Amino acid sequence: MSVLVRGAKTSDIKKIRLIVDTYASERKLLSKETVTLYENVQEFTVAEFNGEVIGCGALHVLWEDLAEVRTVAVIKEWQGKKVGHEILENILSKAKELGVKKVFCLTFETKFFGAHGFTEIQGAPVEPDVYAQLLRSYDEGIAEFLDLESVKPNTLGNTRMLKIL
C-alpha cells in the first residue's frame, strides 16, 4: 500500500472539511469555517491513497522562527498505519525549508507528537517583544498559543508541545 503525501489542492478541501468535522464533533480538533480552509489551503498537506484523501495536517507560520502544526488527522480506517507520521514528517520538512526553528502544537496526542521529538511546555516560548507583536494577530490559533483569556471557553484542554528543529 503506497500512500502519497503532498501539498493540498483546493479540490481537497471538501474531504479535509469532512475529516475536521469528524474530530471536531469528538472535541479532538477545533472546527474551522470552510472559507478558512480554502484561505489556508497552501498550509495543508494531505495523504491520499488511490486518489482519496485519507489524512491532513497544516503548518501555520507565526513568526520568523516559530510555526504551529495544526489539524493533523487521519480517517479512522487508516489510523495506526503510520499515515499521520508521514504527514507530520512532511510538515516538519516544510518548516525547515521555510527557516522555522521551533514548531509547536496544542494536542491530546502527546505520545504521537512525543515520538517526533516534541516535548511538553508551559507558557509561550517567545520573547516578550514577539509576544507583544503576536497579540496583534486576529488568528484564533495564535490566541490559544498565547493562552489568552478570550479563547478560554473555546480551548479543548490540549497539551502545549514544542519541537526545536
Side-chain angles (χ1 to χ4, degrees):
M1 285 190 276
S2 182
V3 172
L4 173 65
V5 178
R6 61 169 174 77
K9 302 174 189 174
T10 56
S11 59
D12 298 323
I13 295 299
K14 289 179 183 173
K15 184 62 180 195
I16 293 170
R17 160 93 280 139
L18 292 173
I19 294 170
V20 169
D21 287 349
T22 298
Y23 292 102
S25 69
E26 297 174 4
R27 297 194 39 81
K28 292 181 180 177
L29 284 179
L30 288 175
S31 184
K32 297 185 183 313
E33 296 295 333
T34 302
V35 67
T36 303
L37 295 174
Y38 279 111
E39 289 172 342
N40 298 323
V41 68
Q42 71 280 359
E43 296 182 356
F44 274 89
T45 295
V46 296
E48 74 172 40
F49 180 73
N50 287 341
E52 179 78 18
V53 173
I54 59 171
C56 63
L59 177 71
H60 184 75
V61 175
L62 300 167
W63 202 251
E64 176 183 3
D65 63 347
L66 180 68
E68 178 185 8
V69 174
R70 295 180 172 181
T71 321
V72 175
V74 175
I75 64 172
K76 296 197 189 267
E77 297 83 3
W78 280 87
Q79 287 184 352
K81 297 179 179 165
K82 304 291 184 192
V83 174
H85 294 278
E86 290 183 43
I87 291 169
L88 182 57
E89 285 303 317
N90 181 283
I91 289 170
L92 294 174
S93 291
K94 192 183 301 183
K96 287 177 188 174
E97 288 173 19
L98 292 171
V100 171
K101 304 281 189 261
K102 299 181 282 190
V103 180
F104 85 97
C105 63
L106 301 169
T107 186
F108 289 114
E109 303 296 333
T110 55
K111 287 182 184 176
F112 171 79
F113 283 97
H116 292 271
F118 285 77
T119 56
E120 189 172 337
I121 61 166
Q122 300 296 319
V126 294
E127 301 299 320
D129 59 325
V130 173
Y131 184 95
Q133 290 291 325
L134 291 175
L135 283 173
R136 297 178 178 159
S137 173
Y138 292 104
D139 186 274
E140 195 171 298
I142 292 176
E144 290 173 23
F145 168 69
L146 297 176
D147 201 25
L148 300 180
E149 289 296 322
S150 62
V151 295
K152 290 293 186 188
N154 299 322
T155 58
L156 304 173
N158 295 340
T159 300
R160 294 170 188 278
M161 299 185 81
L162 180 75
K163 177 180 175 82
I164 306 295
L165 301 177

